[in-house]
């Protein structure tokens, strides 16, 4: 059995996720690490589309990662599981979904570009998930002011950032500042940096602090134990330097990963949610291979050749081909014939997986993303803690190019949606169209490319749709009596209700204030169903209704003719009656924008935002002649904004967009959308 096929104990495993903005060099850094570990004989190139990570045709076409990729290596008798993630904001869902699988997030920064829009977001997201964090300043061979970049990093992210090594020999090598205080660097003092790091680290242990203050030497093993505690607590975030393409600093990075980063044993304990959805009780799980099996399915893919692959982060216990397990809340027992270690496109058979490891299971169709795998006899109400995913705000209606492909397309889209938490699929009840939702134009184009490349399915796409909503602006009352005689048993139900607006973002609230049995209690749920029928298509433009409270307070029933369908119908038309009296309005989605542009383009970009009904909230200097603009704008005004911004800034501008809130649309826009709405007449 080779070193790469053996099962590693939890203390000998390091799980690392590579995060950062696009073009920071994450994929090249992963290639360099695998090359230095002897896993590959030569480094691939993103430009030549032959890296292990970017094996999918979409990544090769666009010359950047479009999916998170699992890799692994062995170094100094330790196993390193690497997850390489996309850096473009459109694919942030892939990066966020990888966080629960790792103990450490390495945020990779392009030394020439500095802090970019996705850098901050991913740095903070990793911290919110409780990961230890490290910053790797890559491409130091292209840098002009690394000392200035370090100061910018510290001012942006806080005093917990400390250099762990420094460039030397004009950025052609690095010198370790943690294990030793000797040597010289291109900037800064190795001795001072070493002292600064030691003083910050020993603060985590009173005994080590006392030894340090009394002048006693601190052994390296004790210092490393304190360092891991400091990283777990976010008290220390080390900065390292690399030039991955030239493999500068990669050996020191690997040394630090295996010696100084938390393992599943020394990291914060894994936490799982216990109970039904909405429950906040958590349980801590220790990475004990002898404990009952628990594993988190953090990623699912559909390989054209292998079929379905489920990527597992082993939490506790042991898994081999003889292990029976259950998936999530299901009680059905499964076994797998294939436990795999994944290296990009390649998979190799693996004997057994122990707590802390990352492996894949093949051809178990009942496994789904974010399930907890457990023994069939064990409790099944555990759920993973997940990051907060942004709401996908770009939408396109699609239809098959070939007749009869509807069912195939539906199945393919369901598989793609399971792979990406920011890709959603819905059906427009008004137009009967299939609508896909994503983070931006590029995101949706890549998802359609995947559907064609993997499943051989072609579609035509219509222009992006905006997810408008409707609400009310005043209180009103509604009433409807439903009475129907068909010769046999009739239908009868009468409902009185009142409605009132809720604060923006509050959703929907249904209140039962019926007394004396005017509406029998068994029919109240039917009234609510009728109300919810109207919520799906409002009266202004057929858009979903939100931020409204409905209070049902009176009605009448018939001892023979009253039934569920009668009260559902009465509730529906009583609500519709009330809405038309409550001054309904159309709501449009507003988004926050973080736009990074050269300082010379600041005036032009802010002027353009004003023309898009946007509002600039503020602007900050990013250093190196770059500015970051904070703005709020209607989503409907940002079609093709990515390409327009890049064109206006000669390719130097980029932006990050997140849903903010809904607000009333201008009267002119509301009239235009309402005028094009043709409600379906009901019998």
């Amino acid at each position: 059995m080779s070193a790469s096929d053996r099962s590693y104990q939890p203390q000998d495993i390091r799980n690392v996720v590579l995060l950062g903005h696009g073009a920071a060099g994450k994929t090249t850094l992963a290639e360099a690490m695998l090359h230095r570990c002897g896993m590959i004989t030569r480094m691939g190139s993103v430009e030549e589309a032959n890296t292990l990570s970017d094996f999918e045709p979409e990544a090769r076409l666009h010359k950047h990662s479009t999916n998170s990729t699992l890799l692994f290596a062995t170094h100094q008798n330790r196993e390193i599981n690497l997850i390489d993630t996309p850096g473009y904001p459109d694919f942030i869902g892939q990066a966020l979904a990888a966080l629960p699988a790792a103990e450490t997030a390495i945020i990779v920064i392009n030394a020439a570009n500095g802090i970019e829009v996705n850098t901050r977001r991913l740095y903070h997201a990793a911290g919110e998930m409780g990961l230890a964090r490290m910053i790797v300043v890559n491409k130091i061979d292209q840098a002009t002011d690394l000392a200035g970049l370090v100061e910018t990093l510290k001012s942006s992210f806080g005093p917990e950032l400390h250099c762990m090594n420094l460039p030397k020999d004009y950025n052609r090598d690095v010198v370790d500042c943690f294990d030793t205080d000797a040597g010289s660097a291109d900037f800064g003092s190795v001795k001072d940096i070493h002292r600064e790091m030691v003083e910050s680290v020993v603060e985590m242990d009173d005994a080590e602090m006392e030894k340090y203050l009394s002048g006693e030497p601190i052994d390296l093993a004790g210092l490393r134990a304190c360092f891991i505690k400091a990283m777990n607590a976010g008290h220390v975030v080390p900065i390292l330097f690399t030039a991955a393409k030239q493999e500068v600093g990669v050996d020191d990075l690997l040394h630090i990963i295996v010696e100084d980063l938390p393992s599943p044993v020394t990291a914060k304990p894994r936490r799982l949610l216990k109970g039904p959805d909405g429950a906040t009780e958590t349980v801590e799980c220790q990475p004990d291979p002898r404990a009952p099996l628990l594993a988190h399915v953090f990623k699912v893919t559909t390989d054209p050749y292998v079929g379905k692959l489920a990527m597992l982060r082993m939490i506790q216990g042991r898994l081999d081909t003889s292990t029976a397990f259950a998936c999530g809340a299901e009680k059905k027992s499964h076994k797998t014939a294939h436990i795999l270690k994944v290296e990009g496109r390649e998979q190799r058979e693996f004997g057994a997986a122990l707590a802390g490891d990352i492996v894949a299971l093949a051809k178990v169709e009942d496994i789904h993303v974010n399930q907890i795998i457990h023994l069939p006899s064990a409790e099944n109400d555990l759920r993973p803690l997940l990051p907060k995913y942004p709401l996908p705000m770009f939408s396109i209606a699609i239809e098959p190019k070939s007749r009869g492909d509807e069912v195939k397309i539906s199945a393919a889209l369901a598989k793609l949606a399971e792979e990406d938490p920011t890709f959603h699929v819905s059906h427009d009840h008004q137009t009967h169209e299939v609508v896909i939702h994503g983070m931006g134009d590029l995101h949706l184009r890549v998802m359609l490319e995947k559907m064609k490349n993997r499943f051989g399915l072609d579609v035509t796409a219509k222009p992006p749709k905006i997810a408008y909503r409707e609400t009310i602006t005043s209180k009103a009352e509604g009433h409807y009596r439903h009475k129907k005689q068909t010769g046999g048993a009739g239908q009868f139900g009468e409902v009185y209700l009142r409605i009132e607006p809720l604060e923006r973002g509050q959703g929907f609230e249904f209140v039962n204030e019926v007394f004396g049995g005017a509406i029998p209690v068994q029919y109240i749920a039917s009234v609510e169903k009728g109300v919810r029928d109207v919520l799906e298509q409002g009266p202004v433009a057929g858009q979903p209704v939100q931020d409204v409270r409905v209070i049902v307070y009176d009605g009448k029933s018939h001892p023979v003719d009253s039934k569920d369908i009668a009260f559902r119908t009465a509730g529906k038309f009583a609500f519709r009656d009330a809405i038309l009296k409550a001054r309904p309005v159309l709501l449009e989605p507003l988004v926050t924008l973080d736009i990074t542009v050269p300082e010379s383009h600041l005036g032009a970009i802010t002027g353009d935002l004003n023309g898009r009904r946007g509002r600039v909230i503020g602007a900050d200097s990013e250093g190196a002649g770059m500015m970051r603009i904070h703005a709020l704008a209607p989503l409907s005004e940002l079609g093709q904004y990515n390409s327009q911004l890049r064109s206006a800034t000669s390719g130097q501008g980029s932006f990050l967009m997140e849903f903010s809130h809904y607000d009333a649309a201008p009267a002119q826009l509301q009239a235009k959308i309402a005028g094009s709405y043709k409600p379906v007449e009901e019998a």
Side-chain angles (χ1 to χ4, degrees):
M1 179 182 293
S2 69
S4 58
D5 295 328
R6 58 175 272 201
S7 298
Y8 282 81
Q9 294 296 319
Q11 63 268 24
D12 296 325
I13 297 171
R14 304 292 183 269
N15 297 312
V16 174
V17 57
L18 299 177
L19 305 173
H21 196 80
K26 298 181 297 298
T27 296
T28 303
L29 181 61
E31 288 282 308
M33 293 167 71
L34 296 178
H35 185 231
R36 301 303 294 179
C37 290
M39 304 299 293
I40 54 178
T41 56
R42 63 182 296 272
M43 285 179 57
S45 164
V46 172
E47 293 75 20
E48 296 176 11
N50 59 358
T51 63
L52 284 180
S53 290
D54 294 344
F55 62 87
E56 293 188 332
E58 304 80 36
R60 292 180 173 180
L61 173 66
H62 295 282
K63 296 293 192 294
H64 60 75
S65 301
T66 57
N67 202 5
S68 63
T69 306
L70 269 63
L71 307 162
F72 74 96
T74 57
H75 187 66
Q76 296 179 5
N77 209 29
R78 309 276 170 77
E79 179 184 61
I80 304 171
N81 290 311
L82 280 173
I83 307 177
D84 183 21
T85 67
Y88 281 82
D90 274 26
F91 305 104
I92 194 167
Q94 292 280 344
L96 294 175
L99 297 181
E103 278 78 44
T104 304
I106 295 181
I107 295 88
V108 184
I109 292 177
N110 185 327
N113 297 342
I115 300 171
E116 298 176 90
V117 288
N118 232 16
T119 310
R120 296 176 187 272
R121 188 178 195 181
L122 292 168
Y123 178 87
H124 293 302
E128 289 166 4
M129 284 296 293
L131 273 67
R133 289 170 293 182
M134 168 190 289
I135 289 177
V136 169
V137 177
N138 190 32
K139 302 186 180 182
I140 60 174
D141 55 312
Q142 301 176 21
T144 56
D145 183 13
L146 288 176
L149 177 56
V150 169
E151 291 307 310
T152 301
L153 288 168
K154 290 183 177 182
S155 64
S156 297
F157 296 130
E160 61 269 23
L161 270 65
H162 299 278
C163 290
M164 201 168 182
N165 63 21
L166 288 171
K168 69 174 186 177
D169 298 337
Y170 304 101
N171 298 338
R172 292 193 292 266
D173 201 356
V174 298
V175 55
D176 191 315
C177 302
F178 185 72
D179 289 6
T180 178
D181 63 356
S184 60
D186 290 345
F187 69 89
S189 161
V190 174
K191 188 172 184 178
D192 290 345
I193 293 292
H194 175 79
R195 185 183 67 253
E196 175 187 305
M197 176 69 84
V198 170
E199 289 176 352
S200 294
V201 166
V202 296
E203 289 176 1
M204 301 303 298
D205 188 290
D206 291 341
E208 295 291 349
M209 172 67 90
E210 189 173 333
K211 285 170 59 178
Y212 178 76
L213 293 176
S214 63
E216 294 182 43
I218 299 175
D219 65 278
L220 194 55
L223 191 61
R224 286 190 165 129
C226 289
F227 178 76
I228 289 172
K229 289 181 184 178
M231 284 196 71
N232 287 336
H235 183 68
V236 167
V237 177
I239 302 173
L240 285 83
F241 297 87
T242 62
K245 189 170 285 190
Q246 289 75 32
E247 300 187 76
V248 171
V250 176
D251 287 342
D252 196 47
L253 172 61
L254 288 167
H255 167 73
I256 289 167
I257 287 175
V258 299
E259 293 292 349
D260 301 316
L261 295 194
S263 72
V265 174
T266 57
K268 291 180 180 178
R270 290 268 139 179
R271 293 189 301 154
L272 297 176
L273 291 171
K274 182 178 174 61
D277 284 346
T280 56
E281 181 185 356
T282 60
V283 294
E284 289 190 352
C285 305
Q286 300 298 328
D288 184 354
R290 298 164 298 180
L293 171 67
L294 287 176
H296 171 208
V297 184
F298 69 93
K299 179 179 175 66
V300 169
T301 66
T302 303
D303 187 280
Y305 305 103
V306 179
K308 190 170 188 177
L309 279 176
M311 317 297 181
L312 305 185
R313 163 57 200 258
M314 295 288 294
I315 298 172
Q316 64 181 40
R318 184 180 190 274
L319 178 68
D320 60 32
T321 54
S322 66
T323 306
F325 59 87
C327 306
E330 298 178 1
K331 296 182 179 179
K332 181 180 177 182
S333 180
H334 301 273
K335 284 188 179 180
T336 181
H338 304 283
I339 297 175
L340 308 170
K341 289 296 289 188
V342 176
E343 191 84 282
R345 179 191 291 278
E346 303 299 322
Q347 304 98 27
R348 60 180 76 177
E349 294 283 347
F350 196 58
L354 303 182
D357 209 348
I358 295 176
V359 295
L361 303 186
K363 300 179 180 178
V364 183
E365 294 300 321
D366 291 336
I367 292 183
H368 298 289
V369 72
N370 290 326
Q371 286 182 326
I372 296 296
I373 304 301
H374 55 90
L375 297 178
S377 58
E379 58 182 319
N380 54 20
D381 61 346
L382 296 173
R383 293 174 289 114
L385 279 166
L386 299 175
K388 181 182 177 182
Y389 295 110
L391 187 67
M393 297 303 298
F394 274 74
S395 304
I396 294 176
I398 62 171
E399 57 185 29
K401 283 188 176 179
S402 301
R403 294 183 62 183
D405 276 352
E406 290 84 359
V407 174
K408 293 179 182 178
I409 287 173
S410 179
L413 289 174
K415 291 176 180 178
L416 292 174
E418 189 172 22
E419 294 183 16
D420 189 330
T422 55
F423 177 70
H424 297 173
V425 182
S426 65
H427 291 80
D428 190 310
H429 296 289
Q430 181 67 23
T431 62
H432 306 292
E433 294 173 323
V434 175
V435 182
I436 59 173
H437 313 269
M439 298 305 298
D441 174 65
L442 177 61
H443 186 198
L444 295 183
R445 281 193 286 117
V446 166
M447 298 308 283
L448 294 182
E449 289 169 11
K450 287 185 178 184
M451 189 165 67
K452 182 176 182 179
N453 292 332
R454 289 196 206 172
F455 306 104
L457 296 169
D458 240 338
V459 299
T460 56
K462 298 184 180 180
K465 293 191 172 186
I466 305 299
Y468 293 104
R469 297 288 186 266
E470 298 180 25
T471 192
I472 58 173
T473 58
S474 66
K475 297 180 180 181
E477 298 215 356
H479 162 250
Y480 190 79
R481 171 185 283 196
H482 179 68
K483 186 175 182 180
K484 188 174 183 180
Q485 289 294 141
T486 57
Q491 295 180 13
F492 181 85
E494 188 170 7
V495 171
Y496 291 85
L497 54 77
R498 58 180 176 268
I499 62 176
E500 54 191 46
L502 294 174
E503 290 185 13
R504 196 72 69 238
Q506 293 296 302
F508 168 70
E509 184 180 338
F510 182 84
V511 181
N512 174 21
E513 290 187 359
V514 176
F515 297 101
I519 299 177
V521 65
Q522 66 267 30
Y523 297 130
I524 296 298
S526 298
V527 175
E528 183 176 355
K529 286 180 182 177
V531 168
R532 288 185 179 275
D533 289 341
V534 180
L535 289 177
E536 295 181 5
Q537 288 187 15
V540 177
Q543 302 297 325
V545 179
Q546 66 179 43
D547 305 334
V548 59
R549 177 183 289 120
V550 176
I551 302 122
V552 178
Y553 65 89
D554 201 2
K556 290 182 181 178
S557 64
H558 188 279
V560 176
D561 292 343
S562 286
K563 46 182 64 75
D564 288 326
I565 184 62
F567 276 100
R568 182 169 183 170
T569 303
K572 177 178 181 178
F573 285 98
F575 184 35
R576 185 173 292 176
D577 176 46
I579 283 184
L580 292 172
K581 301 173 184 174
R583 293 189 295 152
V585 296
L586 188 73
L587 298 174
E588 64 174 342
L590 301 185
V591 296
T592 57
L593 292 166
D594 271 358
I595 310 169
T596 302
V597 296
E599 191 171 356
S600 59
H601 290 76
L602 181 63
I605 298 305
T606 55
D608 177 67
L609 285 170
N610 290 332
R612 297 173 186 268
R613 296 193 286 123
R615 177 165 57 90
V616 175
I617 299 169
D620 301 315
S621 173
E622 292 288 282
M626 302 295 286
M627 295 292 293
R628 186 160 66 109
I629 304 167
H630 313 279
L632 190 69
L635 179 63
S636 61
E637 300 287 342
L638 297 174
Q640 304 298 315
Y641 188 63
N642 184 45
S643 58
Q644 291 165 2
L645 177 67
R646 293 185 66 82
S647 175
T649 59
S650 302
Q652 298 180 73
S654 59
F655 75 102
L656 195 64
M657 180 175 71
E658 271 195 351
F659 171 73
S660 175
H661 64 281
Y662 278 93
D663 206 353
Q668 186 176 2
L669 176 63
Q670 180 168 313
K672 178 182 177 182
I673 295 173
S676 63
Y677 171 55
K678 297 179 181 179
V680 178
E681 295 294 329
E682 296 189 48

